[in-house]
Structures are given as C-alpha cells and as structure tokens.
Amino acid sequence: MRLSQYHLRTVKEIPAEAVLASHKLMLRTGMIRKLASGLYTWSPLGLRVLRKVEAIVREEMNNAGAVELLMPSIQPRELWDETGRWEKFGGQLLKIKDRKEAEYCYGPTAEEVITDFARNEIASYKQLPVNFYQIQTKFRDEIRPRFGVMRAREFLMKDAYSFHLTKDDLAREYRNMYDTYVRIFERLGLKFRAVEADTGAIGGFASHEFQVLADSGEDAIAYSTGSEYAANIELAEAITTATRPAPSETAARVDTPKQTTCAAVAELIGLPIERTAKTICVITVDSESNTDSGDMVMAILRGDHEINEIKLTKAIGEYRLATEQEIRDALGTVPGFIGPLFDGEGNIGPTPRPIRIIADRAAAVLSDFVVGANVPKFHIRGVNWGRDLPEPALVADLRNVVEGDPSPDGQGTLAIARGIEVGHVFQLGDRYARDMNCTVLDETGKAATPMMGCYGIGVSRIVAAAIEQNHDDAGIIWPAAMAPWQVAVCVINPKDEPTVTAAAAALYDELTAAGHDVVLDDRGLRPGNMFADIELLGIPHRVVVSGRGLESGTYEYRGRRDTESTALDHRALLARLAG
C-alpha cells in the first residue's frame, strides 16, 4: 500500500466531548468520523484494524468448531413477545415499524432469532451439539452514548449460540468457548482477566466476562493476590472472618446537628468509621406487576461499605429506594438520621408499616456501634444487636468488596482494578428454548428442550480497548496483530531524489514478498511531519530510506516503543523485522 494512493487524514484538533485516549486518538488518526450521537463511520484506516480483529476472532471460532451464519439485524416483535423481552429489555431496544405498521426492533442481541432458527432446523439429538456464530452489527439505544466506539449505539459484535441435549454438554462447550476467548485475546496482544460475572438481562446460571485491564475502564474487577480468582465487583463475594465482640457500652443518644454521613458522625464522636452503621430503606417490588408490595426493608451496612444493588436484589427480590416522605411516615425522621431504633431512644417500638431489618455480614458482627436515632439531628452510640435491637431477620453478603478483603477462595486478599469488558460467555440453560417451544427428539424419541449457551465479543470495542491499554503522548502503540500495517517504509524527499525513491520501492516490494504487511509513505511530507504521523498511527516498525543512508549502506530503523533510531544494514534490518 502506498500512502500517496490511500485515504489518510490525520488531524490535531478534536472535539471537547472526546475524553478517553482511545476516542481522541481514533479521531486524530482518522480511524472514525462521527455521523450522529453514538454512530461512527469507519475510515479505510479504521476498517483495516477492525478487519484484523475480526479475522482472528473468526479463525479461532472456526478452529473451535463453531459454524458461521448471518442473521437479520431487523427482528420482528413476535419473537421478542415469546420471551417477554419486548417490554422487559428496556429503552435500549430500538423499536420501529414498517409501512404495514408491523413492529420490529433493531437487534441488540439475537437469542430470539437463533432459537427460532434452531426450532425450525434441528429436529433430533443427532444434530447436537452445535454452535452457530455470526459477526454482525448490533444496535442498543444508549441513554448517553460516549467515549467513541467504546459505548456507541451501533457496534460490531461476534455473537455465538450453542445448543445441547444435556447440562454437562453445555458445560463442556462453555469451557471450549472460554478457552477460545483466552486464545483470541492472547493473539490480539491484550492484557486481560476472565472474571466471574452476573448474568444480567441475558439470563442464565453462569457467566464470565473478559476484561481488558485499563485505568480508564468503566468496570471494577476484584482479583486475588494469591490465586487466579477474579470477579466483577458486582459479583465478588465479600468474606467476613471477624466474630462479634461482647457489648461493653451502654446505648446513649448523641447530638449530631449537621452530621448526616457516617464519616462526619465518626469524626464528631471520635470513633473509627468502621464502628458506625448506615441504614438504607427500600420498598420491595413485585417483579411481575412492577408494583410495590408495601414492605419496607432496612438494609444495614458498616459505615465504610457501599451497598451492592445486585446482591441486595438477590437477597430480597426487586426493590426501589424509599422516598423521603415514606421514611417520614414510617420512622418520623429524614435521611441522614435513619436507624433501626424506632422510637429514637434506643428502643424498638411499633411502626405504621411492616419493617424488616437485614444486615450485611460485616454489619452483623458489629458491637457498640453507632446508628441513626430516627430523630433529626441525633444518633445513638453503643448500640448492640440482641440487646438494643433484635437480631437481623437476614444476614447476607450485601456490599461491594474493598481492597484487602479476604479472597473468597481462601488464597490471598483482594485487589481492585479497572477493566473494559470485551467479551462475555453465558450458560443460558433452557430459558429461551423453553419460552419459544424449541424441542428436539432425544434418544428415546421423546421431545426434549435443549440447553443453550451464549458467547459474545465486542469486535469494535476491542479496537478502543487496545488503544486504552497501548498508547503514549505520541499516539497509538498497536499490538502487532492489530496494527494497520506492520512496517512503514518512509521515503525522504521522494520527488527530488529518484534513487532514494527507487530504493524505497525495492525494499517495499522485497518486504511485501517476504510476507510483511508494509505501507510505503511516499507522500513527500517533511520528515518531522511524516514521522509524527507514523508514530500517531502506531505502526510497530519504521524504516527510513534516505540519500545519506544509501551512501553508508544502512537504513534508519525505529521500533514504536524505542526511544532512539538505529542504523541497520540490509541483513540486520531483515533479521530485526523477522524477529
């Protein structure tokens, strides 16, 4: 490829909305151009990188035994009604109508479509197991698209779906896909962790996320310092090894006129924040009707911990936060002074509505702790479970883990890192097949509902994640497998020095014939501008052909991560590029 015959437009000015390094650099290099909110055109340069990622994903999926197909991106409402997700999926589902007023959606995922395909194509257990995959555009109507292609509305995704007669066979394919993903991300040159994750809106009973480690990542992941354990912070189990000490204080009310947070109360009283407890009031919700059940739940956490919404949902079911008026009506107080001491004097008293007290594990082992007095501007210190208030109706893991917590597998402690989710694998079970009446005949001739697995990779997101992990002040530093070209041959003064131009073209042809992915920069730019472009583009190897170098029989070589250029003769250059 000669850059004089290629579309390449780099820029220095970028819009203020570009915050992440990947967004800035993809705009500066011209890899993407914004069409509308969350919608981007991939330039020829950007498409080269995207296709390289796609090729590795496709090759590894084929090697793993998956079979490629292509499903429509526009999906009929009827399929989504069968699974109940037309309403449940939420605002991300872009709904459209055709000229006949029939309703469709632009597919954000394809469980319904692949299950419909399977129920019409697979009749017998003899056709199982099978794993279908596609690489196709998806659309999710994000409330706030941001960070370029990292959180775009339209994106390129590899999604695969497997069908099995037994749960054990599903587990086997799940492991196969897990190992396949490891090979994909290793080939792409990414630093990543596979972490246990919540199944979320997709459903199922087991899942792992593949997270590219980057300080700019939206997700927090917890990993053990002494083992391979890793989990999304939403799922990581918080272990409490402490036991509850015996009470040693008498409950006493404390004046806290302006202190509404545990940190402020602890500072005023002179106690560590770990001796305080926060109370979160919620109202349970019926998940089917989406109406209030009427029950109020007080979730008690240690003052330095944060509630984990997913864990709380698993403990009590669907819920919403109680309003300030509901708190006033039930407890006679306002947020900031709430506690499980209903009469404000350190005693349990009657309440206008049923209230259930549950506690996080760490809060359940507190003694002589501080809680809100349910009287504005007051807290109570020296409170103890079983003496001043009843034991919690439920003790459960309700909080986010923090740095230094014991690892759930008993090996080491937990550290917290940021990550960018680029892949997710699920064991779905029979949810979609059951809802859509997808059956096959088993060995006995009876109808059986197949088990399903689901395996996704964000192909376009990988491009941005790689940049987040690999860049410097000069630009992108591509992992070798993802670079638009492996080698840039730069010509100094091509118009005025035909000998140099001919030598550069000969080197370009030689390297191309040897199997290197080479670009010839023959645009005639000044050396400084040309080198800045090549660094910005992140090409791993730069070779400069100049008149001075030809006189000495050398080329000027510089690797993208090198700080200095090196003069190499022809043999040494070929050896360096081969290595």
Side-chain angles (χ1 to χ4, degrees), residues 6 16 23 120 162 168 171 265 290 306 322 377 395-396 439 496 510 522 553 559:
Y6 191 77
H23 193 186
N120 289 297
S162 63
D168 287 343
V265 171
N290 200 33
E306 296 298 327
K377 302 183 180 182
V395 175
T439 62
D496 299 331
E510 180 184 7
D522 58 346

Side-chain angles (χ1 to χ4, degrees), residues 147-356:
F147 308 146
V149 300
M150 190 77 76
R151 188 165 290 281
R153 294 194 294 169
E154 184 180 78
F155 53 94
L156 188 65
M157 181 178 179
K158 187 283 300 177
D159 48 322
Y161 308 89
S162 63
F163 294 82
H164 311 267
L165 195 61
T166 67
K167 191 173 181 179
D168 287 343
D169 195 57
L170 168 59
R172 178 200 58 77
E173 183 61 13
Y174 183 84
R175 186 68 218 187
N176 179 36
M177 285 293 99
Y178 182 103
D179 294 340
T180 299
Y181 278 32
V182 169
R183 290 193 297 271
I184 288 170
F185 297 126
E186 285 179 345
R187 284 186 61 184
L188 290 171
L190 300 173
K191 298 176 184 176
F192 68 95
R193 291 293 293 258
V195 304
E196 295 178 16
D198 186 70
T199 55
I202 300 299
F205 49 82
S207 76
H208 282 82
E209 292 173 349
F210 288 79
Q211 297 271 358
V212 169
L213 303 180
D215 292 339
S216 58
E218 287 189 283
D219 295 330
I221 61 175
Y223 64 94
S224 172
T225 58
S227 71
E228 292 300 309
Y229 173 83
N232 191 297
I233 202 167
E234 295 175 341
L235 194 68
E237 183 181 6
I239 300 295
T240 300
T241 58
T243 57
R244 186 192 299 170
S248 62
E249 295 182 14
T250 301
R253 195 158 75 164
V254 180
D255 187 2
T256 53
K258 298 180 180 178
Q259 289 72 24
T260 59
T261 66
C262 289
V265 171
E267 182 179 4
L268 177 70
I269 298 176
L271 291 176
I273 192 172
E274 293 84 358
R275 290 270 303 278
T276 67
K278 65 176 66 171
T279 303
I280 300 169
C281 290
V282 301
I283 306 295
T284 56
V285 174
D286 182 85
S287 58
E288 293 298 324
S289 63
N290 200 33
T291 57
D292 292 354
S293 67
D295 292 337
M296 178 177 280
V297 176
M298 282 185 167
I300 314 299
L301 276 75
R302 210 170 72 182
D304 59 328
H305 290 156
E306 296 298 327
I307 193 72
N308 182 305
E309 295 179 2
I310 290 175
K311 292 179 180 180
L312 182 57
T313 299
K314 289 180 178 179
I316 66 172
E318 297 294 331
Y319 70 90
R320 63 170 177 80
L321 291 174
T323 66
E324 184 169 331
Q325 189 58 51
E326 287 170 331
I327 292 170
R328 286 180 181 273
D329 293 342
L331 302 169
T333 190
V334 294
F337 304 97
I338 305 170
L341 302 161
F342 299 142
D343 69 355
E345 297 294 338
N347 302 305
I348 295 294
T351 59
R353 68 188 301 166
I355 296 179
R356 182 159 50 112

Side-chain angles (χ1 to χ4, degrees), residues 568-579:
L568 300 176
D569 63 22
H570 186 263
R571 178 179 296 179
L573 174 65
L574 296 183
R576 178 69 61 89
L577 295 178

Side-chain angles (χ1 to χ4, degrees), residues 71-75 79-80 83 85 89 92-93 105-114 134 136-140 155 157-161 201-202 426 428 432 454-456:
M71 293 175 277
S73 59
I74 303 299
Q75 305 175 10
L79 294 183
W80 285 72
T83 61
R85 293 208 298 173
F89 202 87
Q92 287 190 338
L93 190 66
C105 67
Y106 193 142
T109 183
E111 285 81 10
E112 283 81 2
V113 178
I114 196 65
Q134 65 174 348
Q136 185 223 46
T137 299
K138 301 289 189 299
F139 189 95
R140 295 180 184 176
F155 53 94
M157 181 178 179
K158 187 283 300 177
D159 48 322
Y161 308 89
I202 300 299
F426 301 85
L428 294 176
Y432 293 94
C454 172
Y455 321 95

Side-chain angles (χ1 to χ4, degrees), residues 51-84:
R51 291 293 183 244
K52 290 195 172 188
V53 175
E54 183 180 331
I56 289 174
V57 171
R58 177 175 282 110
E59 182 178 333
E60 290 295 339
M61 289 297 293
N62 291 342
N63 290 342
V67 183
E68 187 171 10
L69 49 58
L70 185 63
M71 293 175 277
S73 59
I74 303 299
Q75 305 175 10
R77 171 177 179 165
E78 289 77 12
L79 294 183
W80 285 72
D81 280 336
E82 288 186 56
T83 61

